[in-house]
Amino acid sequence: MNEQNLSENLRDIRALEPIDDISLYLFIIAVTFVVLIIGSLLYALIKGLRKKRAIDLRKKVLQKLKEVEFDDPKDAAYKVSKYARFLAQDERSQKMLEQLLPKLEKYKYAKDVPEFDDESINYYHLFLKSVDE
């Protein structure tokens, strides 16, 4: 009787029913959202740091260009060419550089170079003004 009673009680237990649970989807959406926010913040931070670094580098190169000594014309011509190419980014300064570089050619590749003439120095100062603005 006990066994029969027990088996009748067991028949009253129903099968497991599926429960609608979307917590996994909500978790995936939340993690994706947080990753996107953190990624965009990191991107903005890195972009800002690069821009600041580029401005600082530009200032350093401009300072080096201003400190060029014309005592050694050959060395000065090489330095001006090197630093000026880095600084010439807009159309105006590029045109000024195109005019300055041919003036510096006669000081670069010769064994004995003459002193800088006034025209070359004037082009150099014009280029500095166009870049420094």
Side-chain angles (χ1 to χ4, degrees):
M1 195 167 183
N2 271 343
E3 275 183 45
Q4 192 178 22
N5 233 355
L6 186 61
S7 68
E8 285 178 16
N9 285 339
L10 288 179
R11 286 187 192 150
D12 288 343
I13 298 176
R14 288 192 253 167
L16 295 175
E17 302 240 352
I19 299 174
D20 295 334
D21 185 21
I22 60 169
S23 62
L24 178 64
Y25 300 115
L26 291 176
F27 177 73
I28 291 172
I29 290 171
V31 167
T32 304
F33 185 69
V34 168
V35 166
L36 287 175
I37 289 175
I38 291 173
S40 62
L41 289 175
L42 284 175
Y43 176 75
L45 178 70
I46 290 171
K47 186 176 178 182
L49 289 175
R50 279 190 173 190
K51 187 174 183 179
K52 183 179 177 185
R53 183 175 154 205
I55 290 172
D56 289 344
L57 182 62
R58 184 172 168 80
K59 286 181 182 178
K60 287 179 185 178
V61 170
L62 181 61
Q63 187 62 33
K64 285 183 180 183
L65 190 59
K66 288 180 179 180
E67 294 172 353
V68 169
E69 296 290 330
F70 291 104
D71 298 339
D72 182 11
K74 187 176 224 175
D75 185 51
Y78 279 110
K79 285 182 180 179
V80 169
S81 298
K82 176 183 175 183
Y83 297 136
R85 282 190 181 103
F86 179 79
L87 292 175
Q89 294 177 350
D90 62 337
E91 187 176 332
R92 180 177 176 221
S93 60
Q94 286 177 351
K95 286 182 181 178
M96 297 291 290
L97 180 63
E98 288 174 7
Q99 294 173 356
L100 176 63
L101 288 178
K103 305 286 182 200
L104 298 175
E105 293 296 319
K106 61 184 173 183
Y107 303 106
K108 287 183 177 179
Y109 304 112
K111 186 173 185 179
D112 296 319
V113 293
E115 292 295 318
F116 264 97
D117 59 346
D118 290 336
E119 184 182 8
S120 299
I121 292 176
N122 288 337
Y123 272 101
Y124 165 73
H125 288 296
L126 284 173
F127 176 76
L128 275 181
K129 285 180 185 177
S130 73
V131 172
D132 202 12
E133 293 176 347

